[in-house]
Amino acid sequence: FYFEPNAEGRLFAQSTSGQLVYSSDMGQTWDPISVPPAASGRSTAPFAVLNDGQTRLLLATPSGLLIGTPGDEDGELSADITWTKVADFTNVTVIEPSPTQDAVAIGTADGYVHVSTEMQGLDAASWVSSRLREGSVSAIAFHPEDPAQLVVGLATLRTEPTDAVVY
């Protein structure tokens, strides 16, 4: 689940069946969020919450990375979201926004890390990609004092002596 940055008391979570929900009262009540057909009926999918003044959700689907805005100009949340595809990344395992909300990193099952600092539309051309090694990216964290640095963990064992589990 996510505590939404810049929105006191707002939480987002996902059930084991993949349903996204939100709460505006610190979890006392929950409301469902519409998910696109590509994500419905699936088990959990990586998602993240961005808020650099406007709430936006990122959701990984088999067809790519989607972005949706669950609110209006006044910041009121709505369960009905229009989702837009922003990148063709498949097999996404983790989505991590930076603490300062000025970058987002995506990890995949085939060892790639994709990073974008173009936060308005997350345009497909804005992503910088690097394959660390063969294996599934299991965790990404931005360095708290230097968001230009990432710490990345892989879920698969090393196959070569020069491979690392954490980069």
Side-chain angles (χ1 to χ4, degrees):
F1 74 92
Y2 281 90
F3 288 96
E4 182 179 354
N6 306 317
E8 188 174 327
R10 195 176 295 165
L11 304 169
F12 290 86
Q14 186 177 51
S15 71
T16 57
S17 65
Q19 175 65 55
L20 290 176
V21 293
Y22 73 91
S23 173
S24 295
D25 56 12
M26 288 298 292
Q28 297 297 311
T29 61
W30 294 91
D31 293 303
I33 295 173
S34 64
V35 295
S40 60
R42 295 182 61 210
S43 59
T44 61
F47 83 100
V49 178
L50 302 174
N51 186 329
D52 55 359
Q54 177 185 25
T55 301
R56 293 173 295 156
L57 301 179
L58 291 173
L59 178 66
T61 69
S63 63
L65 182 67
L66 308 178
I67 191 167
T69 304
D72 58 22
E73 295 80 29
D74 298 327
E76 294 297 317
L77 290 185
S78 166
D80 296 321
I81 298 177
T82 300
W83 295 93
T84 304
K85 187 175 182 179
V86 293
D88 288 326
F89 305 134
T90 57
N91 300 316
V92 173
T93 55
V94 63
I95 304 171
E96 183 65 28
S98 71
T100 54
Q101 299 288 294
D102 58 0
V104 64
I106 309 292
T108 66
D110 52 0
Y112 280 91
V113 174
H114 311 279
V115 179
S116 179
T117 57
E118 192 284 296
M119 299 304 290
Q120 289 309 307
L122 294 172
D123 181 81
S126 72
W127 295 88
V128 175
S129 301
S130 178
R131 186 170 192 208
L132 302 176
R133 69 168 171 87
E134 191 172 318
S136 181
V137 175
S138 61
I140 298 176
F142 283 85
H143 190 286
E145 294 176 12
D146 183 1
Q149 293 185 36
L150 292 174
V151 176
V152 178
L154 280 85
T156 52
L157 298 174
R158 300 182 302 187
T159 57
E160 300 292 329
T162 56
D163 287 346
V165 177
V166 175
Y167 289 86

